[in-house]
Amino acid sequence: MKNGIAECSVCHSKLVSPGSKTISRAYDDHKIRVSSKQRVLNVLLVVGDCMLVGLQPVLVYMSKVDGKFNFSPISVNFLTEIAKVIFAVVMLLIQARHQKVGEKPLLSLSTFVQAARNNVLLAVPALLYAINNYLKFTMQLYFNPATVKMLSNLKVLVIAVLLKMIMKRRFSIIQWEALALLLIGISVNQLRSLPEGATAIGIPLATGAYVCTVIFVTVPSMASVFNEYALKSQYDTSIYLQNLFLYGYGAIFNFLGILGTVIYKGPDSFDILQGHSRATMFLILNNAAQGILSSFFFKYADTILKKYSSTVATIFTGIASAALFGHVITMNFLLGISIVFISMHQFFSPLAKARDEQQQNGNLELSSAKDTHRANNDSFINMAAGANEEASHRGESDDRTPLLPR
């Protein structure tokens, strides 16, 4: 090759050889296009999640009558799962109609059975979500909506630990420091948030709040990590088919909860529509939309991004609860929110990611250097072996050649 032009040794045709700069530039352009699409998707997911998650505690608060729920929270969760199942079925039918020729049909029995076997792990997060959805209502008995959202941000730290243990995810030191700042922001917001001497369900409020907080943080964190693991482990499966399994399992678990309530309270509690109002209908639709959006987060984005977007929803929740219910936005809340935003900026800043990328690039360069060195050694050994073989052939030919008279 000369001046970037390669010449065939047989036909002597010339071809312009793409240089390393050309290949690198093409790869960079492709990477920019992919990252830009991913960035737009992340923004849309965060905006939608902020609206839905921020509105959820407000709707729960509006559903209470004299500080209590006239309906069974399990019935709301069951109707929510049914709504999500209907949405998954409709989207699956639409996706099947737009399949290309030659693709494996989504609605065939063999595809459904095989996908059900491969995605059986989705039953684990479905069970955990069923427990968590009931805890959402229980937490409203202890805290106002804005405080509930701030407490839910504790899930980020638990999720980070679970991601490191289960999915072997790596976090830089800066990102761990950002998570520590998040906990500080939550603690600042929680100063003097519990009324002294108040009680709930027969135990001191502080004790009941701490117990519910531990369960409220641990259970959904495990559900989120297992959900992300299950969805991404079967990445080629349609997300609507996976949602159908996830929500189907959720509907089954919530229906079992309803049956347990019937056994405990009597047949009158079997009416799943009893005590529902217009606010609870909006709550069901909001919870369904929130669950559907979460599945896109877990499969195409990241669990940490999902929880940080829920943190942003705290502002909307605080403002909405102050405007609708007269809750006071304290200085502690404003300071806590400020620290949380600093934490979020630090976690997703290029500086925090740069260390990971540099480490990965360094490992790749080191591996490439080792491969190059190994290839050079192999090439040298092959050349030496070839030279020895050629010399031996020449020696044999010289021995076999008869001596001619001079």
Side-chain angles (χ1 to χ4, degrees), residues 192-199 204-206:
R192 298 181 182 179
S193 62
L194 298 178
E196 298 182 358
T199 58
L205 178 57

Side-chain angles (χ1 to χ4, degrees), residues 206-267:
T207 304
Y210 288 136
V211 171
C212 283
T213 298
V214 171
I215 302 175
F216 181 68
V217 169
T218 305
V219 172
S221 300
M222 295 176 61
S224 298
V225 174
F226 277 110
N227 195 10
E228 180 178 352
Y229 179 81
L231 290 174
K232 288 183 177 178
S233 63
Q234 301 294 326
Y235 198 83
D236 294 334
T237 306
S238 170
I239 188 173
Y240 302 114
L241 190 57
Q242 288 179 311
N243 284 344
L244 179 61
F245 299 137
L246 177 64
Y247 305 148
Y249 287 134
I252 293 173
F253 290 134
N254 282 283
F255 184 74
L256 293 177
I258 293 176
L259 293 180
T261 304
V262 171
I263 296 175
Y264 180 73
K265 294 184 177 181

Side-chain angles (χ1 to χ4, degrees), residues 28-42:
D28 291 339
D29 293 340
H30 171 73
K31 186 176 181 181
I32 291 174
R33 287 196 299 270
V34 173
S35 61
S36 62
K37 291 180 180 179
Q38 185 68 31
R39 208 175 293 116
V40 172
L41 176 62
N42 290 344

Side-chain angles (χ1 to χ4, degrees), residues 14-122:
K14 296 182 178 181
L15 178 65
V16 178
S17 177
S20 59
K21 292 183 178 180
T22 305
I23 298 175
S24 177
R25 190 180 302 111
Y27 174 76
D28 291 339
D29 293 340
H30 171 73
K31 186 176 181 181
I32 291 174
R33 287 196 299 270
V34 173
S35 61
S36 62
K37 291 180 180 179
Q38 185 68 31
R39 208 175 293 116
V40 172
L41 176 62
N42 290 344
V43 171
L44 293 177
L45 290 175
V46 169
V47 172
D49 188 64
C50 288
M51 296 176 60
L52 296 174
V53 176
L55 188 60
Q56 195 263 349
V58 178
L59 292 175
V60 171
Y61 190 84
M62 293 176 61
S63 301
K64 291 192 294 186
V65 178
D66 296 331
K68 298 180 180 180
F69 299 114
N70 291 334
F71 57 90
S72 172
I74 300 179
S75 67
V76 172
N77 299 333
F78 175 73
L79 293 175
T80 299
E81 297 300 327
I82 294 299
K84 291 190 289 186
V85 167
I86 295 175
F87 175 84
V89 170
V90 172
M91 294 304 300
L92 196 60
L93 292 175
I94 295 176
Q95 186 180 20
R97 290 186 59 183
H98 291 81
Q99 276 191 293
K100 297 180 181 179
V101 179
E103 291 183 349
K104 192 174 181 179
L106 289 173
L107 302 181
S108 65
L109 181 60
S110 60
T111 302
F112 184 85
V113 173
Q114 184 64 33
R117 291 176 179 176
N118 296 336
N119 291 273
V120 69
L121 186 60
L122 289 172

